[in-house]
Amino acid sequence: MERNTQQRQAILKAFERAERPLGVQEVLELAQGDCPSLGVATIYRNLKALVVDKKLITVDMPGGLTFYEIPGIHHHHHFSCTNCQKVFDVEKCGINVKNLVPNGFTLQRHEVLLFGFCDSCTQTAS
Amino acid sequence: MERNTQQRQAILKAFERAERPLGVQEVLELAQGDCPSLGVATIYRNLKALVVDKKLITVDMPGGLTFYEIPGIHHHHHFSCTNCQKVFDVEKCGINVKNLVPNGFTLQRHEVLLFGFCDSCTQTAS
DNA sequence: GTGGATGCAAACTCTTTGCACCTTG
DNA sequence: CAAGGTGCAAAGAGTTTGCATCCAC
């Protein structure tokens, strides 16, 4: 049973506007723009429900940070900026995964994580 | 200044015996075999120090779990068993990373994570 | 003997849960 | 109007830190 509350709308709108994976804090700040009374608990509950619902997918990042994004059509991976901590989508995959799997192991899925400076942090640094 | 305490020896011994990346709890249990009074705080402090010291490297896994391993000579990646939660090394790399990096971004490093069933969990499941 | 290391417990951070109140359908 | 959702605050899990004690050098 899914109700279309203001809070849920504000959360989804945050993702639509951002067009990149968002962390819990980012979602909270963005969604509070539409719905100031929004609390963290509601964010966690909705993110969880939206993932079960396949309206969002999780992107797990080193350091224990979980990001979320609207599921894209294409298989893609992620770039994490070590300076501003934002996460971006990487369009291509370009990896021959099957060759990597050890004998006897069963592969379910894979994730490629790139780390470095994003566009704007690269410019700032130089 | 590095002291060669029983605790530190027990921790390093755990990694030598395991021959695969270990999580904090795994290290604690294994190292307590040699040094029963060992507490969690000591594990965390030593793991951190050993990473700074380059005696260990961190392997960040989804769900916020950090694993540690003895640095190998070769560039390699990791396989996480979704059944037993253990992490294994994957020898080959086989990825054309440079092609993936978006324009204007600066790549520092990359990580490939494979998920599925390990050897023994594949056998148990079938 | 002395300073770094340990072990305990308290503090912190991030996430989850209980419960009274509110809101959607 | 009734169930599900929200907000707060308290509870959990995992990690870090303060401090008295211990032990490697």
Side-chain angles (χ1 to χ4, degrees):
Chain A
M1 200 66 297
E2 310 259 299
R3 260 189 222 183
N4 197 24
T5 61
Q6 289 187 359
Q7 289 81 346
R8 170 168 299 214
Q9 283 176 33
I11 291 169
L12 283 172
K13 207 172 280 183
F15 283 98
E16 284 161 19
R17 286 180 188 147
E19 296 186 318
R20 62 176 182 78
L22 297 176
V24 174
Q25 278 311 310
E26 290 179 298
V27 177
L28 182 61
E29 285 158 25
L30 289 170
Q32 281 184 336
D34 286 330
C35 187
S37 70
L38 222 171
V40 238
T42 302
I43 300 284
Y44 281 108
R45 276 188 283 234
N46 271 292
L47 290 178
K48 213 167 219 182
L50 288 165
V51 168
V52 171
D53 235 46
K54 305 244 203 296
K55 299 242 174 55
L56 288 180
I57 56 169
T58 64
V59 184
D60 281 297
M61 284 292 156
L65 299 171
T66 306
F67 285 72
Y68 298 82
E69 71 178 327
I70 295 176
I73 306 151
H74 300 298
H75 174 67
H76 68 275
H77 296 300
H78 300 97
F79 186 104
S80 170
C81 179
T82 52
N83 185 239
C84 68
Q85 312 298 327
K86 287 182 186 145
V87 175
F88 303 86
D89 282 350
V90 172
E91 293 307 325
K92 302 161 237 167
C93 174
I95 173 180
N96 196 343
V97 216
K98 302 228 175 59
N99 286 347
L100 301 182
V101 185
N103 277 340
F105 283 47
T106 310
L107 184 68
Q108 290 173 329
R109 63 189 187 83
H110 72 281
E111 173 73 35
V112 178
L113 300 177
L114 306 181
F115 299 91
F117 288 162
C118 72
D119 200 357
S120 74
C121 289
T122 297
Q123 283 177 35
T124 311
S126 62
Chain B
M1 201 61 302
E2 312 259 298
R3 257 187 224 185
N4 198 25
T5 60
Q6 288 186 0
Q7 288 82 347
R8 168 166 300 213
Q9 283 176 35
I11 291 169
L12 283 171
K13 208 172 278 183
F15 283 99
E16 284 161 19
R17 285 178 187 149
E19 296 186 320
R20 62 175 182 79
L22 297 176
V24 174
Q25 278 311 309
E26 290 180 297
V27 176
L28 181 62
E29 285 157 26
L30 289 170
Q32 281 183 338
D34 286 329
C35 186
S37 70
L38 221 170
V40 237
T42 302
I43 300 284
Y44 282 107
R45 276 189 282 236
N46 272 292
L47 289 179
K48 213 167 220 182
L50 288 164
V51 168
V52 172
D53 234 47
K54 305 242 201 298
K55 298 245 174 56
L56 289 178
I57 58 170
T58 65
V59 184
D60 281 297
M61 284 292 155
L65 299 170
T66 305
F67 285 72
Y68 298 82
E69 72 178 326
I70 295 176
I73 306 151
H74 300 299
H75 174 68
H76 67 276
H77 297 301
H78 299 98
F79 187 105
S80 170
C81 180
T82 53
N83 185 239
C84 69
Q85 313 299 327
K86 286 181 188 146
V87 175
F88 302 86
D89 283 348
V90 171
E91 293 307 324
K92 300 161 239 168
C93 174
I95 175 180
N96 196 343
V97 217
K98 301 228 175 62
N99 286 347
L100 301 180
V101 184
N103 277 340
F105 283 48
T106 310
L107 184 68
Q108 289 174 331
R109 63 188 187 85
H110 72 279
E111 174 73 36
V112 178
L113 300 178
L114 306 180
F115 299 92
F117 288 162
C118 71
D119 201 358
S120 73
C121 289
T122 296
Q123 284 177 32
T124 312
S126 63

